[in-house]
Amino acid sequence: MASLLRWKTIAVCIAALVLSAAAHTALGGRAAADDVWAENNAGDRGIDLNARFTMNPETGQLASQLSSGNGAAAASEDPNQYMADTHCRADGPDTVDPGCLTLACPPSPNGATGTPVIWKEAPKAITNPGWTDWIPVTGPTCLYGPEPHNILDDIAARILTDFRQLPLNPGTLTTQPFPNTLIGAPTNFYATTTPQTFNLTILGQNVHLTATPTTYTYTYGDGQTLGPTPTTGHPIPDTQWLTTTTQTSHTYTTTGNYPATLTTTYTGTYTVNNGPPLPINGTLNLTTTPQTIHVWKTETALVADTCEQNPHSWGCPGTND
């Protein structure tokens, strides 16, 4: 009689490993979509947050809408440096320039004086460069307050702190298969993140901030990690689960329950009153809520009959030996 090779899982049916991708647990962000805060002090120390979010109907994830406006590019990709030139003022000494006579700022809601600013740009690699007008803006933007240069310096000094207080979505860590996997078999992990944008009011100025995910750290829960790496990984067909190794997959060597997490590192840029994208000198690390991976082992044996022929045979459902 032909022998049959039958697999038996310990404490869990192997069929539980084949799960729909829609069953993955969504990982929540740090705050709800409508979190808006303000801290006011004499009318010029406040931060007003107006982030716009959408809900993914498949995962339930909150994600802010993307913007194609200024500041969308990562700071590391911008080859230029920028300077705000305030010498061209309608009430200043340079009114001999006919162009300066036409410059005017709209009134501020709190009555602050507006100063026209001509943004200049130059390559980052050049020290003491010759500045040229920043092309994307025709004409001046405005800064509101008695000393415009101090306003820009004050915003630059606090922007990293403000950046790290934003309710960014940490992204999603997806595991294939989930929640059960096998010892000695590759388990695929991949990250899903997006750039996120926020509109703030800082020191009376309109600030548009863009947070861009740049690197990822995968913590597998068994003491092993991958990263920081720019690799997000990718999903694979369920027919390849437990057989295909990816750049971000992991093989567990012992059985157990392991808390897996994803840490995403964000860099940021910001614009002041529709000016050029300025880099934020620092990063923000966000970690997802741990999700438990159950790692099981298998045993194999040669048997003489099928489960239909002998329901009590080794490896058949309901048997323990």
Side-chain angles (χ1 to χ4, degrees):
M1 181 180 295
S3 295
L4 301 175
L5 182 63
R6 185 175 301 132
W7 292 69
K8 181 179 180 182
T9 60
I10 303 302
V12 68
C13 178
I14 189 66
L17 297 172
V18 183
L19 303 176
S20 167
H24 296 309
T25 302
L27 301 177
R30 285 169 42 180
D34 59 352
D35 273 358
V36 177
W37 75 86
E39 177 192 9
N40 295 309
N41 182 6
D44 66 351
R45 304 301 296 179
I47 307 174
D48 295 327
L49 174 63
N50 183 19
R52 301 182 181 276
F53 288 81
T54 56
M55 177 75 75
N56 186 318
E58 295 182 358
T59 65
Q61 286 289 85
L62 292 171
S64 61
Q65 296 174 354
L66 302 185
S67 169
S68 59
N70 298 327
S76 60
E77 298 174 355
D78 191 342
N80 295 322
Q81 55 183 317
Y82 300 95
M83 176 190 70
D85 185 355
T86 61
H87 82 280
C88 192
R89 302 180 57 167
D91 59 348
D94 296 320
T95 53
V96 292
D97 180 353
C100 289
L101 295 175
T102 64
L103 300 183
C105 291
S108 170
N110 62 6
T113 302
T115 299
V117 173
I118 304 295
W119 283 98
K120 305 286 186 176
E121 66 179 354
K124 284 180 179 177
I126 299 178
T127 303
N128 298 321
W131 298 90
T132 59
D133 288 351
W134 181 57
I135 300 302
V137 170
T138 57
T141 59
C142 292
L143 297 175
Y144 291 91
E147 299 182 25
H149 276 110
N150 287 352
I151 291 174
L152 291 175
D153 291 343
D154 290 345
I155 292 176
R158 61 177 284 173
I159 194 67
L160 178 59
T161 298
D162 296 338
F163 175 44
R164 289 175 173 171
Q165 293 176 350
L166 294 174
L168 267 70
N169 188 316
T172 301
L173 176 66
T174 302
T175 306
Q176 296 176 306
F178 178 83
N180 305 310
T181 190
L182 291 178
I183 187 175
T187 301
N188 186 41
F189 293 79
Y190 65 92
T192 303
T193 59
T194 59
Q196 299 170 57
T197 61
F198 301 84
N199 294 316
L200 315 174
T201 301
I202 302 179
L203 303 182
Q205 319 302 311
N206 294 323
V207 176
H208 181 78
L209 190 149
T210 299
T212 303
T214 53
T215 60
Y216 310 90
T217 299
Y218 301 83
T219 301
Y220 299 115
D222 61 349
Q224 300 297 313
T225 62
L226 172 66
T229 173
T231 303
T232 60
H234 58 85
I236 58 177
D238 55 6
T239 56
Q240 299 179 19
W241 294 359
L242 304 176
T243 60
T244 299
T245 299
T246 67
Q247 287 183 297
T248 53
S249 65
H250 179 64
T251 299
Y252 292 94
T253 58
T254 57
T255 59
N257 300 321
Y258 299 102
T261 60
L262 170 72
T263 299
T264 302
T265 298
Y266 287 86
T267 59
T269 59
Y270 67 102
T271 69
V272 179
N273 298 339
N274 296 317
L278 306 174
I280 297 176
N281 294 321
T283 59
L284 172 63
N285 295 326
L286 295 178
T287 301
T288 60
T289 301
Q291 53 178 309
T292 302
I293 310 298
H294 306 287
V295 180
W296 307 96
K297 67 179 180 179
T298 61
E299 294 178 353
T300 61
L302 292 174
V303 296
D305 47 19
T306 67
C307 290
E308 289 78 11
Q309 294 169 333
N310 182 4
H312 302 290
S313 179
W314 187 95
C316 291
T319 62
N320 295 319
D321 51 25

